[in-house]
Structure formats: structure tokens, C-alpha cells
Amino acid sequence: MLQKRYIGTFLILFTVLFSVSAQKAEREFIRKGNRAFKDSAFVDADVNYRKALEVNPKSTISMYNLGNTLVRQNKPKEAMEQYTAAAKIEKDKSKLAYIYHNMGDIFQSQKDYAKAVEAYKESLRNNPKDNETRYNLALAQKLLNEQKQDQQNQDQNQQQQKQDQQEDKQEQNKDQQQNKDQQQPPQLQKKDNEM
């Protein structure tokens, strides 16, 4: 019985030490990544954030920082995957605000203004005092309205072109019919009294 207690205590102690060691390694990789990011060494930052994620796959800080690094490397799709994964796990409202703000920036840069508006709104739900996000939301809404107006104008132009084409076709058919009528020789008509 005493042996089982020592084994149990040893396992708990080992688990705690391993956990502390893993947290320390994760923080060290994040620090190295942050230094590389600050120095614009985005590939090095990428590597370190991925190493931090290997140590702790649920590290939202590593996901967020990796997302930022991927944006700087012009990899918005991969960045969006990191932000989305972080948003699913993160509970801290201020961190969620940053995540959704950056998602909005990516959507806006891709001219997906409807999704940008939603991301900025979600960011403001988590941090209503963020004026930069409020500005970006207003801009995304303006661009979305302009995009909708442009689409409506294009639709109207296409509809008008189709209508004009139909009218032109009808006019051509009418002209062709008139030409046929003029080209046919007059037919002899029989008079009942003659013959």
C-alpha cells in the first residue's frame, strides 16, 4: 500500500515537473518568435511559433502570433486558419477582439466586405472601446455599400444591354421581312372576267 502511494506521488510530481518544463519551453519559443517578428525575420518567427504550438497545441498566443507572421509573409489563407483556431479556444475578450479585428483586416484586403463587417462587429462585441476597429467597421460598411451599388449598376447595364439586343434583333427581323416583301415579284392576279 505504501509503495502505491509513493508511485502515485512520484507520478503526480513527474507530471507537474513535465508541465512546468513544457510551459517554460513554450514561453521561450514565443519569446524567440516575438524577437524575430520584431526584427522582420518572419520565417524565423514562423518556425518558433510553430515549435511553441508543438509543445502546446492549444496556445492561442502562438496561434495569433503565427497568424500575424503569416499575414506578413502574404499567406492570408493560412493566417485565417490560425485566427479561426484561436477564436474557437480563446476565452479572454480582449484577445478575442484582436483576433477578430485581424480577421476583418484579411477579409477587407480580399474585398470580402460583408465578412469584414461581421468580423469587425465581433471584435467590437468583445471590446466596444476600440476606435480603430470602429473606424475599420465604418470603412468596410462604406465599401460594402459601394460594392453593392456597383453590382446593381452592372446588373442594370447587363439587363439594358439584353433589352437593347432584343430590340435590335426584332428590328433586324422586321427589316429582313420588309426586304423579302420588296424582293418578291408581284404575282399575277386573275380576274374572274378575263379569260
Side-chain angles (χ1 to χ4, degrees), residues 1-2 32 48 64 68 71 76 82 86-87 90 93 100 117 154 164 167 179 185 188 191:
M1 181 79 161
L2 192 58
K32 285 180 183 178
N48 281 291
Y64 175 78
N68 292 343
V71 166
Q82 293 301 317
E90 185 60 61
K93 286 185 171 273
Y100 284 110
V117 165
Q154 285 179 351
D164 290 347
E167 289 174 1
N179 286 342
L188 297 173
K191 291 189 178 178

Side-chain angles (χ1 to χ4, degrees), residues 146 148-158:
E146 289 174 2
K148 285 180 180 179
Q149 187 63 45
D150 289 346
Q151 186 61 45
Q152 286 175 348
N153 290 343
Q154 285 179 351
D155 291 347
Q156 287 175 351
N157 288 342
Q158 287 176 350

Side-chain angles (χ1 to χ4, degrees), residues 28-30 32-34 36-37 41-55 62 65-66 69-70 73 75:
E28 187 57 34
F29 286 128
I30 291 172
K32 285 180 183 178
N34 291 347
F37 187 90
F42 301 119
V43 174
D44 291 340
D46 185 318
V47 168
N48 281 291
Y49 295 136
R50 288 181 193 276
K51 286 180 181 178
L53 282 169
E54 286 175 15
V55 173
S62 299
N65 289 354
L66 178 58
T69 301
L70 292 166
Q73 294 178 73
K75 298 177 181 178

Side-chain angles (χ1 to χ4, degrees), residues 111-138:
K111 295 183 174 33
D112 192 343
Y113 302 121
K115 287 183 181 177
V117 165
E118 290 309 310
Y120 290 135
K121 283 181 180 180
E122 192 61 36
S123 178
L124 286 170
R125 285 183 194 107
N126 287 286
N127 182 6
K129 297 178 182 179
D130 186 348
N131 289 330
E132 184 180 346
T133 300
R134 188 173 281 97
Y135 172 83
N136 287 6
L137 171 61

